[in-house]
Amino acid sequence: MSETPNTTSTVFTPRVFSGIQPSGGLTLGNYLGAIKRFVSMQEAAFETIYCMVDLHAITVWQDPKELVHNTRELAAGFIASGISPEKSILINQSQVPEHAQLGWIFNCVARMGWMQRMTQFKDKAGKNAQNASLGLFGYPALMAADILVYHATHVPVGEDQKQHLELTRDIAAKFNHDYETNFFPMTEPVIEGAATRVMSLRDGSKKMSKSDPSDASRINMTDTADTIAKKIRKAKTDPDGLPSEAKGLELRPEARNLINIYAALSDQSVNQVLTEYGGAQFGTFKPALADLAVAKLSPISDEMARLMNEPAEIDKILARGAQQAREITVPILKKAYDIVGMIRA
Ligand code: TYM
């Protein structure tokens, strides 16, 4: 632990935290926007902590048995994609109680007005906001606690989480200001690469999402090779050929999305992909994309299926992760309690 409150220049250990909700299957959006980038940060000079945010998932109804299954499947997805429990701390949120404890303090720091501006709440609550859970409304304060209970300095996420990370900084700044400390770091969002916003295969103006009623709109990490190929073949496009520069994709959301997916899967820039495919028709490009997607995703889904045959192994990894995590979170929460004025033994 590197940090001391009430000093003017606190230095924080470079530490990455990120999380995914175990509220259904993993999509290609989760993989490219988040998990694939978690793996590269694991290989860089960071401590890395990755989390299945089960407490966040129950802000909307989850069948308990399915939640258990989905949490294990998400853990399997992390591991199969290259997150190593030897190099990263892998946890489910509820086994590290300091997240929820700091979350309560942040409920008392965050302002109603800030929360009311959160677009994800508006999207998720829909027209019937009166019937949404209080947890769904308070969700971003718990998310801030997930991050700050580790003093995490960097958070890799997709574009849709940007507003929540700005709120995390607002909460840290208000806490530091109100208690005259610099205990919490200003966390940096890491929103980078060609696939920070993977779009629906049926509608280039909508995000690819596990909650879209149309299964054809997304690629699930558990889809078979045939299904992946079929979904890409049927993906909505326009009648034109591919341009040779990124500028030519500006008004073509569906074409841009497929190129972005190709670029992210093959670790190339959009311009590199267009150098190869500029002038080609979708009849040529789609099969190439399908082959690439199957080559990259099939080994992951095979490994996920193998890991899911040994749920006790997954549970053991998560229990060990929780122990490692608490070595970081317990002292940080204790200091936060001291700063706020809570008596403790
Ligand atoms: P969630 O579970 O909705 O998504 C997990 C991660 O996947 C990214 N993502 C996408 N990226 C690109 N294109 C898409 N179509 C796409 N769909 C999803 C998300 O941006 C995210 O990075 N609130 C978070 C979970 C969370 C969290 C945290 C994240 C809770 N606490 C602390 C970071 C740090 C969420 O609902 O993500």
Side-chain angles (χ1 to χ4, degrees):
M1 215 92 10
S2 54
E3 46 295 307
T4 15
N6 297 317
T7 56
T8 45
S9 58
T10 309
V11 177
F12 293 95
T13 308
R15 189 175 283 153
V16 168
F17 178 91
S18 199
I20 298 188
Q21 294 196 56
S23 52
L26 273 173
T27 69
L28 181 65
N30 297 134
Y31 176 66
L32 293 177
I35 299 185
K36 188 164 187 290
R37 297 168 52 239
F38 298 174
V39 177
S40 42
M41 294 189 95
Q42 170 186 264
E43 305 307 330
F46 290 107
E47 276 181 38
T48 42
I49 301 125
Y50 297 123
C51 184
M52 285 115 254
V53 290
D54 46 11
L55 296 174
H56 277 103
I58 61 164
T59 55
V60 298
W61 167 253
Q62 304 292 326
D63 176 86
K65 283 205 180 72
E66 279 176 30
L67 182 58
V68 169
H69 172 88
N70 289 339
T71 305
R72 289 193 183 122
E73 189 175 75
L74 179 53
F78 275 110
I79 298 166
S81 303
I83 305 281
S84 154
E86 307 306 321
K87 295 183 186 169
S88 292
I89 298 177
L90 204 55
I91 50 166
N92 60 314
Q93 186 183 26
S94 58
Q95 286 206 78
V96 184
E98 293 73 28
H99 289 234
Q101 289 175 286
L102 185 62
W104 179 257
I105 294 181
F106 287 171
N107 280 343
C108 303
V109 173
R111 305 289 92 185
M112 288 293 285
W114 301 356
M115 308 303 272
Q116 276 159 351
R117 284 197 287 277
M118 294 294 117
T119 55
Q120 190 157 316
F121 173 75
K122 291 182 205 162
D123 291 348
K124 284 204 173 173
K127 292 200 179 74
N128 199 2
Q130 290 301 311
N131 199 35
S133 73
L134 187 54
L136 189 67
F137 186 69
Y139 176 118
L142 179 59
M143 177 163 162
D146 297 336
I147 296 166
L148 293 171
V149 81
Y150 295 90
H151 281 183
T153 54
H154 294 79
V155 182
V157 282
E159 174 73 36
D160 61 345
Q161 295 301 315
K162 192 167 177 220
Q163 195 185 32
H164 288 162
L165 294 185
E166 282 160 6
L167 185 93
T168 299
R169 292 166 67 99
D170 289 343
I171 289 176
K174 184 163 165 55
F175 182 99
N176 287 350
H177 174 268
D178 290 355
Y179 293 103
E180 296 179 15
T181 176
N182 52 9
F183 185 59
F184 288 117
M186 287 298 123
T187 302
E188 292 294 332
V190 186
I191 304 174
E192 285 169 1
T196 54
R197 192 170 175 81
V198 178
M199 307 309 279
S200 154
L201 299 179
R202 309 301 303 160
D203 176 351
S205 68
K206 270 173 45 188
K207 193 183 68 164
M208 182 181 286
S209 160
K210 52 193 150 199
S211 55
D212 192 313
S214 160
D215 191 58
S217 70
R218 65 181 157 264
I219 292 174
N220 306 300
M221 296 302 286
T222 47
D223 281 346
T224 62
D226 274 358
T227 307
I228 293 174
K230 201 184 292 160
K231 285 179 176 174
I232 292 179
R233 203 165 55 238
K234 289 199 171 154
K236 187 175 166 204
T237 43
D238 56 43
D240 296 338
L242 289 169
S244 42
E245 284 174 26
K247 208 170 172 322
L249 292 170
E250 266 167 23
L251 298 173
R252 300 175 61 189
E254 283 88 10
R256 188 174 60 219
N257 188 37
L258 296 186
I259 297 285
N260 282 346
I261 292 174
Y262 192 104
L265 280 172
S266 63
D267 294 308
Q268 296 183 84
S269 69
V270 165
N271 277 324
Q272 279 170 319
V273 178
L274 292 177
T275 304
E276 192 178 346
Y277 287 100
Q281 299 298 317
F282 282 107
T284 310
F285 179 70
K286 279 182 168 178
L289 176 58
D291 286 348
L292 174 66
V294 168
K296 296 284 178 181
L297 303 181
S298 291
I300 299 177
S301 65
D302 291 350
E303 179 63 4
M304 278 171 77
R306 195 189 67 74
L307 292 165
M308 284 302 279
N309 284 330
E310 293 182 60
E313 273 309 303
I314 296 178
D315 293 1
K316 225 192 271 170
I317 290 171
L318 296 181
R320 201 183 61 196
Q323 258 176 13
Q324 295 168 325
R326 297 195 74 204
E327 283 171 24
I328 304 173
T329 59
V330 168
I332 290 182
L333 185 79
K334 279 187 182 161
K335 282 188 199 164
Y337 271 18
D338 289 345
I339 291 170
V340 171
M342 303 282 163
I343 295 175
R344 62 179 179 82

